[in-house]
Amino acid sequence: MAESAAVEYRIDRRSGVSTYLQIVQQTKQALRLGLLEPGDRLPTAREVVEATAINPNTVLKAYRELEREGLVEARRGLGTFVTRTLGGAAAADDAPLRAELADWTRRARAAGLEKDDVSALFTAVLDRTFEGDRAE
């Protein structure tokens, strides 16, 4: 059976994003980055509760949403397993971009920016870049 260590949920209670949605988003990010692949088992609700101190129903709600989207399937008595990935072959080809982004992030940190500052700056640039795509 596949291990579930590939994803470790981190809940930010100050983010304004609902807890179940944070789990959904983090799972999708792990799928896009190739950290989770078809056949991998997600952590059990109990494992997530122990690691994050959230309500088990919140975990189950997130897993139901992922199942509804066709990304995972629950197997009674065995757990919840990834059925498909996101990002395709591009995930393997992103090493140069990842290195550039890591370098940029280190420069931003050296310039005195905090993690939230870097995140806000990146999100603003990302949003501005992709807004043009919607206008076409």
Side-chain angles (χ1 to χ4, degrees), residues 31-92:
L31 290 167
R32 282 187 187 93
L33 294 174
L35 300 174
L36 284 174
E37 298 179 346
D40 287 347
R41 181 178 67 84
L42 295 182
T44 64
R46 176 174 292 174
E47 290 168 341
V48 177
V49 168
E50 288 173 1
T52 61
I54 61 174
N55 188 303
N57 290 328
T58 301
V59 181
L60 297 174
K61 180 178 180 180
Y63 284 11
R64 279 192 306 271
E65 175 64 20
L66 291 164
E67 190 168 17
R68 190 188 65 71
E69 293 184 29
L71 299 173
V72 302
E73 76 174 355
R75 298 181 192 156
R76 194 164 189 80
L78 297 175
T80 302
F81 293 83
V82 174
T83 55
R84 70 180 181 95
T85 189
L86 296 170

